[in-house]
Amino acid sequence: MRLDVGVLTVVTVLLVLLATRAGVRLVRGRASSWGVGVVAVVWWTVLAAAAGLAEAEHQVTQQLATSVTVMVSGRPGAVARCARRTTDMLDVSGNAGSVSWDTPDVARLRADTCAALWSWVMSDKTHPTTDQVVALHVLAHEAVHVGGERAEATTECVAMGWDATVARALGASDAVAEQIATAYREQVYPTMPDEYRGAC
Ligand SMILES: [Zn+2]
């Protein structure tokens, strides 16, 4: 597993260090009082745990998205990158995902897309929401781009053929995977801009 180091990674490490330091000070009797020492340990531990959970979500989602991208694109070196919330705020493209032709092996997914993928992975995988259906499809769509297809309408069509397989790879039963593919094809695809349609 490749670790993607971002601001949150650094913050998590710092918070763990601060929690550890507070613990050491308490144990060695160096806190200004026992009460203040305990509060410091609890405070830094809670913050470190919150940051650590968010960081783990980022790393795990990105790893799962990468494995799907490799499967769909057929490129062993392909990777998926989940945008960090900090950089995502600066992206005004309106795209849920993208592939830059300067780095054709990298599927770039918006933070909301990865959040929806994570919510799917953590769900009981029986009642996919529209956001989850779209996120699973966006993952397939960008992976088809990574596979070398540039035309949007063709990419969209090929990706719809992958939707059920992608859903199964991320834990859906056969029946729910078909339901996800159908939901995208019948409810979302018809609402896509013209350049995304017409190839199916
Ligand atoms: Zn596209």
Side-chain angles (χ1 to χ4, degrees), residues 31-121:
S32 54
S33 75
W34 191 80
V36 168
V38 170
V39 168
V41 169
V42 171
W43 167 254
W44 293 120
T45 302
V46 167
L47 288 183
L53 282 174
E55 180 64 10
E57 170 185 329
H58 175 83
Q59 302 290 349
V60 171
T61 307
Q62 195 164 258
Q63 195 59 33
L64 290 170
T66 291
S67 63
V68 168
T69 303
V70 169
M71 173 183 75
V72 173
S73 69
R75 294 185 182 232
V79 291
R81 289 259 175 269
C82 287
R84 297 277 185 176
R85 286 280 174 199
T86 38
T87 47
D88 196 68
M89 286 188 297
L90 305 172
D91 185 342
V92 291
S93 69
N95 294 329
S98 61
V99 173
S100 160
W101 300 117
D102 297 334
T103 51
D105 279 352
V106 183
R108 299 178 186 283
L109 304 172
R110 295 294 295 272
D112 281 345
T113 302
C114 286
L117 289 175
W118 175 252
S119 77
W120 162 256
V121 169

Side-chain angles (χ1 to χ4, degrees), residues 68 71-72 117 120-121 125 128 132-133 135-137 139-140 159 161-182:
V68 168
M71 173 183 75
V72 173
L117 289 175
W120 162 256
V121 169
K125 304 181 187 71
Q132 291 166 351
V133 167
L136 289 163
H137 175 81
L139 177 57
W162 276 102
D163 281 350
T165 306
V166 168
R168 272 196 299 274
L170 294 180
S173 65
D174 289 349
V176 173
E178 288 305 326
Q179 183 191 331
I180 287 170
T182 304

Side-chain angles (χ1 to χ4, degrees), residues 12-26 37 40-49:
T12 302
V13 170
L14 283 176
L15 289 170
V16 169
L17 289 175
L18 285 166
T20 307
R21 193 181 74 140
V24 169
R25 283 169 68 89
L26 180 66
V41 169
V42 171
W43 167 254
W44 293 120
T45 302
V46 167
L47 288 183

